[in-house]
Amino acid sequence: GAGVSQTPSNKVTEKGKYVELRCDPISGHTALYWYRQSLGQGPEFLIYFQGTGAADDSGLPNDRFFAVRPEGSVSTLKIQRTERGDSAMYLCASSSSTSGGAGTGELFFGEGSRLTVL
Amino acid sequence: AQSVAQPEDQVNVAEGNPLTVKCTYSVSGNPYLFWYVQYPNRGLQFLLKYITGDNLVKGSYGFEAEFNKSQTSFHLKKPSALVSDSALYFCAVRAPHTGRRALTFGSGTRLQVQP
C-alpha cells in the first residue's frame, strides 16, 4: 500500500515475554520514527532512524527496548521482558528528506500497534 | 528542552460556529510547529505546519493556525466547524537548531462539534 503499515495491529502478551512490532514505511522515505502513545496522552518519542542507523535513540525508556532497521526500510521495535507499564499504542512514522534535508516535511503515521501486557 | 502545552482537554462547539484549539510551546530558538489530527481507529494525520514566513498558515480541511512569537502560541482555528471535524487534535514542536529531528507532541485536545 501507499501508507505506513504496522503489524500486528493488536498484540496481547504476558508479563516477561518478548515482543516484536514491525513497521513498513512509505517507499523512499529515509527517515523513520517510533513513538509510544498511552491512553489520554500525546505521542512520546522513542527513536529515530535516518537510513539504517539510529540517529537519535534518546527516547527509549530503558535497555529492554531496542529497534533495528537493517536495510533502511522496514523497522522492528523489540521489547524484552515486557512489563504491564509497557502497555500502549506504538506508532511508527516516516518522512522524506525535504528542503535540502532540513527535515521540514511532515511525518506520515501508521495506524499503530496496540500492545497489552497482562 | 522543548515542550508543548494544550490547556484544554476538550473543546465543544456548535456546527457552523468558529472553533479555536489552543497550543503554546516552549523551545529555545525559532520553532517548527505542527498540528495533527487523530480520528478514531486511525493514524495521526498532518494538518498544517509553520516553518518560517507568514505567521498565518493554512492547511487541510479549511483549518488554519497563527504563529505568535511573543505569546509563544500556535492556535488552530477554523471559521465554521463541521460535525466531521470531531476528533483528537495534537500540536507538536521541533527545535531545528538543536539538530534533533523528533517532534514533541502535546497531550491533545478533543474537539466535539455538536449538530
Side-chain angles (χ1 to χ4, degrees):
Chain A
V4 176
S5 175
Q6 291 188 246
T7 55
S9 55
N10 274 289
K11 176 70 176 178
V12 180
T13 191
E14 294 179 344
K15 181 176 179 294
K17 299 290 187 183
Y18 170 81
V19 165
E20 289 189 353
L21 306 176
R22 175 189 167 107
C23 173
D24 199 341
I26 292 173
S27 178
H29 279 190
T30 57
L32 186 146
Y33 304 76
W34 283 100
Y35 281 82
R36 178 169 68 175
Q37 186 177 19
S38 300
L39 200 60
Q41 300 296 319
E44 175 191 18
F45 169 71
L46 296 177
I47 187 169
Y48 154 62
F49 287 89
Q50 182 63 251
T52 60
D56 183 354
D57 64 358
S58 62
L60 294 178
N62 52 60
D63 61 6
R64 295 187 298 104
F65 287 75
F66 190 71
V68 296
R69 195 186 185 198
E71 298 178 357
S73 178
V74 171
S75 176
T76 304
L77 178 66
K78 308 181 180 197
I79 310 174
Q80 298 176 320
R81 304 183 304 280
T82 52
E83 299 178 357
R84 292 192 179 88
D86 298 335
S87 297
M89 178 73 83
Y90 288 82
L91 303 175
C92 178
S94 68
S95 71
S96 62
S97 292
T98 60
S99 301
T104 59
E106 63 267 29
L107 303 186
F108 293 84
F109 282 85
E111 295 189 2
S113 292
R114 182 171 296 284
L115 175 65
T116 303
V117 182
L118 302 178
Chain B
Q2 56 198 50
S3 65
V4 171
Q6 294 183 244
E8 302 153 317
D9 290 337
Q10 181 157 327
V11 169
N12 298 306
V13 64
E15 188 175 31
N17 283 0
L19 69 87
T20 298
V21 182
K22 295 180 180 177
C23 170
T24 58
Y25 66 90
S26 175
V27 68
S28 58
N30 294 321
Y32 291 170
L33 293 157
F34 301 80
W35 276 101
Y36 283 81
V37 60
Q38 188 173 37
Y39 296 101
N41 301 314
R42 302 289 302 277
L44 278 82
Q45 296 177 30
F46 169 80
L47 272 182
L48 51 78
K49 65 183 177 185
Y50 170 82
I51 302 300
T52 187
D54 194 348
N55 290 343
L56 183 65
V57 293
K58 294 186 184 297
S60 308
Y61 312 120
F63 283 93
E64 58 188 29
E66 185 165 12
F67 170 61
N68 187 317
K69 189 172 183 177
S70 63
Q71 297 185 3
T72 63
S73 67
F74 190 57
H75 301 330
L76 181 70
K77 300 183 180 185
K78 187 173 182 181
S80 178
L82 300 173
V83 172
S84 58
D85 293 330
S86 298
L88 195 52
Y89 290 80
F90 292 96
C91 182
V93 68
R94 184 186 152 217
H97 67 284
T98 66
R100 289 199 71 210
R101 292 283 294 265
L103 300 185
T104 298
F105 286 84
S107 57
T109 299
R110 185 167 300 282
L111 173 66
Q112 193 69 41
V113 181
Q114 284 110 12

